[in-house]
Amino acid sequence: MARMTMIEAIRDAMDVCMGLDENVVVFGEDVGYFGGVFRCTHGLQQKYGRSRCFDTPISELGIVGVAVGMAAYGLRPCVEMQFADYVYPAYDQIVSEVARIRYRSAGQFTCPIVIRMPTGGGIFGGQTHSQSPEALFTHVAGLKVVVPSNPQDAKGLLIASIEDPDPVIFLEPKRLYNGPFDGHHDRPVTPWSKHESGEVEAGRTVTPLGKAVVRRAGSAVTVLAYGTMVHVALAAAEDAGIDAEVIDLRTLVPLDLDAIVASVRKTGRCVVVHEATLTSGFGAELAALVQEHCFHSLEAPIARVTGWDTPYPHAQEWDYFPGPARVGRALIETMEA
Amino acid sequence: MTDTPRLSLHVPEPEVRPGDTPDFSNVAIPRAGSVPRPEVDADPKSMRDLAYSIIRVLNRQGEAVGPWAGTLTNEELLEGLRDMMTLRTFDARMQTAQRQGKTSFYMQHMGEEAVSCAFRKALLPGDMNFPTYRQAGLLIAGGYPLVDMMNQIYSNEADPLKGRQLPIMYSSREHGFFSISGNLGTQFVQAVGWGMASAIKGDTKIAVGWIGDGSTAESDFHAALVFASTYRAPVVLNIVNNQWAISTFQGIARGGSGTFAARGLGFGLPTLRVDGNDYLAVHAVAKWAVERARRNLGPTLVEYVTYRVGAHSTSDDPSAYRPKTESEAWPLGDPVIRLKNHLIVQGVWSEERHKQTEAEILDVVITAQKEAEKHGTLHAGGKPSARDMFEGVYAEMPAHLRRQRQQAGV
Ligand SMILES: Cc1ncc(C[n+]2csc(CCOP(=O)(O)OP(=O)(O)O)c2C)c(N)n1
Ligand SMILES: [Mg+2]
């Protein structure tokens, strides 16, 4: 075990995979010599050489496109989009190619690639460094979608993703890179070194895809969250004094429906939270599933707390971000409904 | 089989890294005045060499020489010097303001001031730029108020963009400055569309697209060239090659192509390469390309050879990937000093007047800053309203947003 930031844990995961499997290659914008603008790949080029970790031209479509070709050959590319907000030039490759190669070639070709990208808000990054585009990927058949909420999971899930036979979109909540963030932006930041989930197992540690985890057991209401919002939900339950059961989904596709259903059947109430915009967000999918599977246990309407349906603003970041006050209010309303 | 050589991957690397001695000996710099100036209506096929050379006007002695000289009066050059000095001072103040927590982010132009400042002077009212974040000189040289730029940077209550945009992502339709996108490259092809619209409407306005060396790798760049070439759009397409894209040296985006300018040759575009630190050369080339577009002779691709002296942004520290003294070794010098020396040689300027002007400009910038700060900074004082956040998503606010605004209680 070692104390790590989420950045170090992500780097460690790639390091472990590159050490175990020489087919694993890592590349992206500023990823090689410099080690990435968030330093997630720092040192990998020095350790594994320029053929296995390198800088690319600024072309997201190029990065994903060549990854598809490499994967078809038999490599396992783990590529970086500098920000999730910049993935869109690669969207055609991801939707029309990455997601469907296995299906359309009847398994002759596969696409075991990982596309990592920093996601989410909380850093005053404005509309082009704050987006949460997970629903644009969960909507595409053939992709797996992962969102860790702490260093140990980031490492375990990234190793699982790199070893997975199918393509994985790996969303890294950048506000969690250096420490947990519960939405109380006016309070001092806790670094991961002072937090229990900053403790990361050494070597090849795998967190299986498709397994949610209960972060806080409770009996009053189930909160479904992922990424930064896990920490916000925990704070909201504490602040509002509500015995919420907070579930960290960890992977959105495949989804741990059993864990969700077991919890909602127990509590009879459900609040879904995410940073992304409301309309057609992943919360809509979760709410639909909960009512399909738990209708007779529900004692209140399912509530959603999300980003507003606007582009991500700059000055109004804390009016936009679904912080603990808004989540707490939804918890109370759901209890009173 | 044993004779077949094993393949290996080629990954370009810069000549030097931190700790090494800066070396630009591979950058071929032609003598000032030595590159010919084709007629504006010349056949692009006749000027292919210009994609591999560097048009320069100012020589080492500070004299303006050769066929590209003489597009500006001394009066105009003095104004240009003032523009560049203003931009540099503005940058220094805003960089510090960011460090003081008055805004979240800043990007400066150090070393590249001549490119946007001189280009702006070749345009007419009504023309439209599609800039990147490193062309604030277009605004300053175009007379846009400094205080409005600062209000935007501070995201304060007087921010013309209502706090919605990241600092420095200005927009001013009135000043021919299209809304800046954080997503690289998108504007380059949009400039072509604006120019095509002007042609469709039988207008006289032209468009200018801007892009960095690194961003030429995006598909938008290639789409811009093909559309511009096919429709002979009235557009000037500018590549600002400042040698770096964050930590990535220009060789990664350029690949095996001799120069960025040479990318235009395959599209049959007239393609010029110019000393980006030479205010006179930038203006002369801009004037040539703008005239070509205006006379319906079609698009021009221009590469400005310059150097990003500062960090990429306030989030970057270049000492991690390039030698600290690299900017001092840059062979094309500093644009402000070069124009200053030229004006001294012309007998219309002196070191004393330069110093005095520096102080005057600092005063002007500080006055603007005080004015802006009366309206607040990012985390203190007047703010744009949370209501503003819900406005302008659509022309008319749909019911679901009105509901959300109510829920937000603003
Ligand atoms: C589509 C997209 N990909 C990546 C980025 C992240 N990014 C911002 S600036 C930059 C480097 C751009 O370099 P260059 O085009 O040379 O312009 P310069 O900063 O040197 O002016 C990168 C990679 C982005 N903003 N948009
Ligand atoms: Mg550049």
Side-chain angles (χ1 to χ4, degrees), chain A residues 28-37 39 45 50-62 70 82 85-89 123-129 131 278-279 304 306-321 326 329, chain B residues 9 11-13 17-18 103-105 152-155 162-167 169 181-184 214-220 245-248 252-253 315-317 320-322 378-379 383-386 388-390 393-394 400-401 404-405 407-408 410:
Chain A
E29 296 156 16
D30 302 292
V31 155
Y33 182 86
F34 182 55
V37 294
R39 318 316 306 278
Q45 181 176 79
R50 285 216 289 269
S51 304
R52 292 189 59 201
C53 178
F54 52 89
D55 289 324
T56 65
I58 303 172
S59 168
E60 292 74 16
L61 128 72
M70 290 179 190
Q82 201 160 85
D85 314 64
Y86 303 140
V87 67
Y88 308 117
I123 63 154
F124 278 90
Q127 50 192 268
T128 50
H129 305 88
Q131 295 166 40
L278 177 75
T279 301
R304 286 184 287 166
T306 70
W308 308 114
D309 282 340
T310 74
Y312 205 106
H314 179 250
Q316 301 92 338
E317 172 125 41
W318 302 127
D319 298 305
Y320 183 88
F321 187 88
R326 271 177 67 201
R329 223 175 307 132
Chain B
L9 188 69
V11 182
E13 259 296 302
R17 285 296 192 182
T103 186
S104 56
F105 178 77
Q152 197 281 328
I153 290 166
Y154 288 147
S155 272
K162 305 177 185 219
R164 293 174 189 155
Q165 256 292 36
L166 204 62
M169 302 286 178
S181 172
N183 296 59
L184 296 172
S215 308
T216 60
E218 292 284 10
S219 318
D220 311 64
I246 310 185
S247 77
T248 304
I252 292 284
S315 316
D316 176 47
D317 173 12
Y321 51 80
R322 66 184 193 189
L378 180 58
H379 300 295
K383 290 181 187 339
S385 78
D388 271 341
M389 176 172 77
F390 292 96
V393 183
Y394 303 93
H400 75 278
L401 264 186
Q404 290 183 24
R405 191 177 65 186
Q407 253 180 299
V410 294

Side-chain angles (χ1 to χ4, degrees), chain B residues 55-115:
Chain B
I55 295 164
R56 306 177 64 228
V57 170
L58 289 176
N59 68 13
R60 274 178 203 283
Q61 289 71 44
E63 298 152 345
V65 294
W68 293 89
T71 58
L72 291 163
T73 64
N74 282 340
E75 270 315 292
E76 290 167 325
L77 288 173
L78 285 167
E79 190 179 309
L81 181 65
R82 228 187 139 82
D83 291 338
M84 290 199 287
M85 291 167 75
T86 305
L87 177 54
R88 189 167 287 188
T89 307
F90 183 91
D91 274 349
R93 298 292 302 183
M94 291 297 100
Q95 180 91 2
T96 306
Q98 191 276 342
R99 295 279 181 249
Q100 294 167 337
K102 292 174 180 173
T103 186
S104 56
F105 178 77
Y106 194 71
M107 297 176 98
Q108 50 168 335
H109 305 73
M110 177 75 87
E112 303 175 41
E113 290 90 344
V115 177

Side-chain angles (χ1 to χ4, degrees), chain A residues 238-250:
Chain A
E238 222 51 55
D239 296 353
I242 287 177
D243 186 26
E245 179 145 294
V246 177
I247 299 189
D248 179 353
L249 297 173
R250 302 201 286 197

